[in-house]
């Protein structure tokens, strides 16, 4: 009698237990931030803390979801949506606004109009980028990433040029806009960002199992009836909306998504989105809320949370680059037994992913054996 179903059930119970522990830790961290060291005038302080916590949770959700989905499409764990030039374009927008209108006008400018303008520009840029790359039936993700990197370098170059023309006093104000800030959040903007997150989640919820199939590669996804190009474009657009909304709300956070996504893969032990997505969000909440509490209580706001996150994310990126990718071919003699077992688990996850997808697409049941037996293991 095969023990595989029992092993899978035990493994899934273990993952659910980890998610439960992370949920409890996240709730404890949020409660600690909200109710620790409350002054006597708590009715004035508590609403401000609630707004800050809401912003931290929304940003953790948007960045965690967008990074995991972006890495699903690109099949690479070291890539983030920041490669598309979001952060560089955001800095360029702030630089041009300060150069044209001045720092004083920026302070008095309507935050709602500024937020909507930045979000529309960021999303519009990505839509134009996708149209240029995917028009006429082309679907090269590598070209899209390269074009995004080129635009990012171009935006940074223009920003540096304009910054040299700005007066020193206004440049000091501009520098504060280059780092994410979680303490000056407008409740209206927070509600708008949360609404965008809910809308993207509602649209993408019905494609839950399709996301797992995309990790198996283009050929397997197409053989199972997935409209690969439409799904890729849809994920890129959803990612763009989430990243643009969170960036316009608090500012750029380059390596935060890389940090929580790879920690989520490590804790989940597999690539299934029903595990990695909630773990990434919970880790993001713990990191942001816990980090903000430490800055307020331990470091007395001596620095900003985004700087610490960028530092930790940079270390994770260097580690991933130096570690290399796990093997895809267990027959090569240079790989150790542990690597072989890892590849065997990957094949098992691949087979289970295909079967889960086919279970929700009865019209494709006849293709399951060919898809499972003929497709080589795809590295995630």
């Amino acid at each position: 009698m095969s023990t595989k179903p029992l092993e899978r059930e035990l493994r899934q119970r273990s993952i659910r237990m980890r998610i439960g522990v992370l949920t409890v830790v996240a709730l404890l961290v949020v409660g600690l931030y909200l109710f620790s060291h409350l002054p006597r005038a708590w009715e004035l302080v508590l609403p401000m803390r609630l707004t800050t916590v809401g912003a931290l949770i929304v940003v953790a959700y948007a960045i965690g979801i967008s990074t995991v989905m972006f890495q699903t499409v690109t099949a690479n764990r070291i890539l983030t949506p920041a490669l598309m030039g979001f952060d560089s374009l955001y800095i360029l927008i702030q630089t041009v606004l300060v150069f044209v209108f001045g720092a004083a006008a920026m302070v008095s400018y309507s935050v709602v109009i500024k937020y909507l303008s930045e979000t529309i520009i960021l999303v519009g840029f990505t839509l134009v980028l996708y149209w240029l790359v995917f028009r006429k039936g082309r679907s090269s993700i590598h070209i899209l990433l390269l074009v995004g990197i080129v635009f990012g370098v171009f935006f940074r170059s223009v920003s540096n040029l304009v910054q040299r023309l700005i007066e020193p006093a206004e440049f000091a104000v501009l520098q504060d806009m280059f780092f994410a800030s979680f303490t000056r959040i407008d409740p209206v903007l927070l509600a708008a960002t949360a609404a965008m997150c809910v809308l993207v989640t509602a649209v993408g919820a019905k494609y839950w199992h399709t996301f797992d199939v995309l990790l198996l590669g283009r050929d397997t996804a197409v053989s199972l009836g997935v409209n690969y190009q439409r799904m890729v474009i849809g994920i890129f657009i959803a990612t763009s909306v989430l990243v643009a909304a969170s960036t316009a709300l608090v500012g750029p956070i380059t390596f935060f998504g890389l940090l929580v996504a790879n920690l989520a893969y490590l804790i989940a032990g597999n690539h299934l989105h029903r595990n990695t997505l909630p773990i990434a969000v919970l880790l993001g909440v713990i990191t942001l809320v816990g980090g903000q509490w430490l800055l307020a209580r331990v470091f007395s706001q001596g620095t900003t949370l985004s700087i610490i996150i960028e530092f930790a994310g940079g270390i994770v990126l260097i580690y991933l680059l130096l570690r290399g990718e796990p093997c895809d071919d267990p027959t090569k003699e240079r790989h150790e037994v542990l690597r072989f077992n890892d590849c065997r688990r990957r094949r098992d996850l691949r087979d289970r992913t295909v079967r889960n997808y086919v279970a929700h697409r009865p019209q494709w049941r006849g293709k399951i054996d060919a898809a499972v037996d003929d497709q080589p293991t795809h590295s995630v």
Side-chain angles (χ1 to χ4, degrees):
M1 182 175 175
S2 176
T3 61
K4 281 189 175 181
L6 179 60
E7 293 177 357
R8 293 172 182 172
E9 180 63 25
L10 293 176
R11 192 180 303 118
Q12 190 59 36
R13 286 184 181 179
S14 175
I15 295 175
R16 287 196 293 265
M17 184 178 299
R18 297 171 198 174
I19 295 176
V21 171
L22 290 175
T23 303
V24 173
V25 174
L27 292 175
L28 290 176
V29 171
V30 170
L32 182 65
Y33 180 83
L34 287 176
F35 302 109
S36 66
H37 297 84
L38 273 177
R40 292 183 177 179
W42 60 269
E43 63 275 4
L44 299 177
V45 176
L46 189 58
M48 298 174 59
R49 292 188 181 183
L50 285 172
T51 302
T52 301
V53 168
L56 294 170
I57 294 175
V58 168
V59 171
Y61 184 90
I63 299 298
I65 297 293
S66 61
T67 303
V68 172
M69 296 310 304
F70 188 84
Q71 293 178 353
T72 295
V73 174
T74 59
N76 195 310
R77 291 186 178 182
I78 65 174
L79 298 181
T80 65
L83 284 176
M84 306 305 297
F86 286 105
D87 298 347
S88 301
L89 181 56
Y90 175 82
I91 292 175
L92 177 61
I93 294 173
Q94 307 304 317
T95 303
V96 172
L97 289 176
V98 172
F99 177 74
V100 174
F101 300 103
M106 288 292 296
V107 174
S108 60
Y109 198 65
S110 174
V111 293
V112 176
I113 296 178
K114 183 174 179 292
Y115 171 84
L116 293 177
S117 302
E118 292 171 353
T119 304
I120 292 173
I121 292 175
L122 291 173
V123 176
F125 162 72
T126 56
L127 293 179
V128 172
L129 188 61
Y130 300 153
W131 178 79
L132 291 175
V133 175
F134 291 109
R135 63 178 178 175
K136 298 181 180 179
R138 295 180 296 183
S139 59
S140 177
I141 298 176
H142 299 92
I143 294 179
L144 177 64
L145 296 176
L146 290 174
V147 174
I149 293 173
V150 170
F151 272 107
V153 174
F154 172 73
F155 293 149
R156 283 194 295 270
S157 300
V158 176
S159 299
N160 292 332
L161 175 62
V162 177
Q163 288 168 15
R164 295 178 183 274
L165 304 177
I166 297 177
E167 296 182 0
E170 294 187 342
F171 180 74
V173 177
L174 177 63
Q175 277 188 316
D176 293 337
M177 302 178 184
F178 294 166
F179 301 98
S181 175
F182 301 95
T183 57
R184 301 186 302 271
I185 304 299
D186 189 283
V188 177
L189 305 186
L190 176 59
T193 306
M196 292 184 188
C197 293
V198 171
L199 178 61
V200 171
T201 303
V203 173
K206 60 181 179 180
Y207 300 107
W208 189 274
H209 295 280
T210 307
F211 297 152
D212 292 336
V213 175
L214 292 179
L215 278 171
L216 303 178
R218 184 180 185 278
D219 295 337
T220 302
V222 172
S223 69
L224 291 171
V226 176
N227 191 331
Y228 185 79
Q229 181 170 338
R230 187 179 68 179
M231 285 299 302
V232 168
I233 295 176
I235 290 176
F236 275 137
I237 293 176
T239 300
S240 303
V241 172
L242 292 176
V243 175
S246 63
T247 302
L249 179 66
V250 299
I253 310 178
T254 304
F255 291 116
F256 175 67
L258 178 73
L259 180 65
V260 297
N262 282 278
L263 288 177
Y265 300 141
L266 180 63
I267 294 176
N270 58 48
H271 67 277
L272 299 177
H273 290 82
R274 67 171 179 266
N275 302 324
T276 56
L277 290 178
I279 290 177
V281 173
L282 291 171
L283 287 173
V285 173
I286 295 172
T287 302
L288 291 180
V289 179
Q292 192 67 27
W293 180 83
L294 288 175
L295 286 178
R297 302 294 169 230
V298 179
F299 299 102
S300 301
Q301 300 291 352
T303 183
T304 59
L305 180 60
S306 60
I307 294 178
I308 299 177
I309 292 175
E310 301 297 334
F311 176 75
I315 294 177
V316 172
L317 175 61
I318 294 174
Y319 168 75
L320 293 173
L321 291 174
L322 295 178
R323 186 192 64 175
E325 290 294 330
C327 67
D328 284 335
D329 185 5
T331 62
K332 294 183 179 179
E333 295 181 354
R334 69 176 184 270
H335 297 300
E336 301 175 355
V337 176
L338 290 177
R339 294 274 182 103
F340 173 79
N341 292 335
D342 180 70
C343 295
R344 185 171 56 186
R345 286 193 297 269
R346 288 178 183 275
R347 289 197 301 272
D348 181 61
L349 281 171
R350 179 202 66 194
D351 299 348
R352 196 189 334 159
T353 299
V354 174
R355 287 185 169 88
N356 287 339
Y357 177 77
V358 172
H360 291 76
R361 301 292 189 277
Q363 65 271 28
W364 297 104
R365 291 183 189 276
K367 296 186 177 182
I368 184 172
D369 293 332
V372 171
D373 297 334
D374 297 339
Q375 179 66 21
T377 304
H378 182 72
S379 175
V380 294

